[in-house]
Amino acid sequence: MTEFSSQWLALREPADHRARDRALQATLVRYLENIASTRMGAIRLIDLGSGTGSNLRALAPFLPKDQHWTLVDNDPVLLQKARSVLIGWADEVPEKNTTQGKTSISAIEPLTIVKQHKHITIEFRCDDLAKNIESVLALPADLITAAAFFDLVAEQWLHRFCNALSKPLYTVLTYNGLENWSPPEASDAQVLKAFHHHQQTDKGFGAAAGPHAIAIIESLLQQRGFKTCSALSPWLLTDQDRFLIESLASGSAAAALETQLVSQTVVNQWSVSRAHATECQIGHTDFLAMPEVS
Ligand SMILES: C[S@@+](CC[C@H](N)C(=O)[O-])C[C@H]1O[C@@H](n2cnc3c(N)ncnc32)[C@H](O)[C@@H]1O
């Protein structure tokens, strides 16, 4: 299993939120507003690979007033952290929620918060999506969503996922392989090639689809009658994102080195020069798919 630290997720959250494609998000918001206006009760969203809840924090302020989120992750420490971060992020936390959810690490208490006049109930589900995606997709939901998740999964798993999906899907910030660092460095292409090789190693779901994930989902869902739409959502990093650039340079270098496709000397030199890059674009794709209305 690949582990993600809450520090890394917190470091990338502002760049993630800036990068999301606003037009695609607006299409989703209109769809969910329409649902909310035609029936009673909260709109229900399931966030796959939620980490500490960044996707909720980005989207919830734009969605209808009553929301029910289920955050699904296989890392109980990240889910516990999600609960405490969301309490800090909220404008109001009704008193019954203030136990900090410490009943047990794997059974995290649901939470209700108010943020920008939205009433948001959040459940935390610790589950391995590599094994249990079908049961998670069978839960009641108006939308399946995810952020920075689908590049981790395998093509075979995507077949299972698409076979079981009957609801709209909105997934953002899937890595698409397009990178551009300034100023350019002679070893960029060689290191990027090794990094892409690493991107396609097993992240707990079998050999990962990495940068090909969205093209695969798009084709599978179109074959199943879904209407799909995608938009680019690159990170555009400048000097103001210095810590993220440095962390990205060292993380990408370590991944490239692990593949043994590039020498330690080249990787070390690349890592040092990339940590001082003045600008960097890291490509992602946002994607929306709607099932055929029967
Ligand atoms: C790159 S992080 C993204 C987290 C969050 N969506 C965000 O945007 O900050 C990928 C997340 O997928 C979760 N994950 C990885 N493998 C998983 C699995 N087999 N089942 C459930 N979650 C998984 C990780 O624990 C991590 O939180």
Side-chain angles (χ1 to χ4, degrees), residues 2 4 8-9 12 16 47-52 54-55 72-75 78 127-130 146-149 152 203-205:
T2 306
F4 295 86
W8 164 245
L9 297 182
R12 61 176 289 170
D16 277 344
D47 186 19
L48 307 178
S50 64
T52 63
S54 170
N55 194 20
V72 188
D73 206 286
N74 64 344
D75 185 335
L78 289 183
D127 213 337
D128 181 358
L129 292 167
F149 172 72
L152 303 176
K203 308 287 191 304
F205 295 80

Side-chain angles (χ1 to χ4, degrees), residues 145-174:
T145 183
F149 172 72
F150 274 95
D151 41 59
L152 303 176
V153 306
E155 182 163 359
Q156 281 210 326
W157 184 91
L158 284 173
H159 280 263
R160 280 175 55 203
F161 173 82
C162 293
N163 280 337
L165 185 72
S166 57
K167 293 145 186 145
L169 170 69
Y170 175 62
T171 183
V172 296
L173 299 159
T174 305

